[in-house]
Amino acid sequence: MTSDDDKRTPQEWREILRSWEYPEEVNTGSRRERRRAKKAHRQAARRRTKQWVREERRRDPIRPTAALVIVALILGLGAGARWVWPALSGHDDRPRVSASPSPKPEDNAPPGTNQTPTSSPSSTPSAPKVPLTKPEPVAQEAIRQYLTRNPPADHKPSAPVLRAAPYMTPALVENLTASSDPAWDKLVSRGGVSTVREIKTGPAKEGLPVDTPVRVWRAVTAKVHVEGYTAYDEEHVLQVEVTNPSGTAWRVSRILGL
């Protein structure tokens, strides 16, 4: 039996795509932030579409009519994006207001004055703001920074890892940045921004190694609030290993439960 969706023509699908409205959260902020948020939203939509296609193929071999609908949907997404945002295709005919460039500080400097170039943001971790003298505050701050996420501003899942890097060992930072992050993808698909509202440490669960002068395990419980298409709260209970091989600084070396 043929469904109503199979009866739709490509033109009807294009009309549906033209009427598609983005969430209000995507239309806030500066022009660059809006473009980045819309790009993240489109990428998440494409990932969900691809996942849906894969699931449908596993359940039942795809029919020719359904294949045409999927192709029309993907093509329509691209065409709709160019129609809504002409600047993406390089043919933006909207009028622009030209502004005179602001003078750089070095332009007004007296002759012969040495100017120190402004360094661009890098991936080098900043100095820790929490002392590394005790394992519990280090574990809390590492998890707080890692779970505080703002995809429109962070752009990629490695940004929270780099914020938490001052409280982690280099090996753990490398492992987290090289691994996929389903929690990030979930947050992007929901248009969410996560904030840690409460965090505490306690004894680790049974079965983990006992404490030593250079290694301890702690259970870190973080209550996270997410603002997105819908607002909701999450609670994460993570088993965290904190080590101090040099005797001068504690850092998180392993996290279980991500």
Side-chain angles (χ1 to χ4, degrees), residues 53-206:
V53 171
R54 286 195 293 267
E55 293 297 331
E56 289 298 316
R57 285 177 175 173
R58 292 193 190 101
R59 296 192 186 110
D60 186 23
I62 191 165
R63 292 171 294 181
T65 305
L68 289 175
V69 170
I70 294 169
V71 171
L73 178 61
I74 295 174
L75 293 176
L77 282 172
R82 292 188 180 92
W83 179 76
V84 176
W85 303 285
L88 295 178
S89 60
H91 298 287
D92 190 356
D93 296 329
R94 291 172 296 180
R96 292 182 173 84
V97 179
S98 59
S100 300
S102 300
K104 297 180 180 179
E106 56 268 23
D107 294 339
N108 297 326
T113 303
N114 294 328
Q115 297 295 320
T116 302
T118 302
S119 59
S120 58
S122 66
S123 58
T124 303
S126 59
K129 298 180 180 179
V130 173
L132 306 178
T133 54
K134 294 182 180 180
E136 290 80 8
V138 171
Q140 289 183 13
E141 192 62 22
I143 299 303
R144 184 195 308 276
Q145 295 295 337
Y146 182 69
L147 295 180
T148 300
R149 300 175 169 192
N150 185 348
D154 291 340
H155 308 313
K156 51 187 178 180
S158 60
V161 179
L162 294 177
R163 285 197 295 270
Y167 312 98
M168 296 179 175
T169 62
L172 178 60
V173 173
E174 182 179 358
N175 185 14
L176 291 175
T177 53
S179 303
S180 61
D181 192 343
W184 173 275
D185 296 336
K186 174 184 173 183
L187 190 66
V188 170
S189 67
R190 298 183 176 184
V193 174
S194 62
T195 306
V196 177
R197 290 191 168 178
E198 182 180 343
I199 192 166
K200 60 182 180 180
T201 56
K205 69 177 183 180
E206 295 181 2

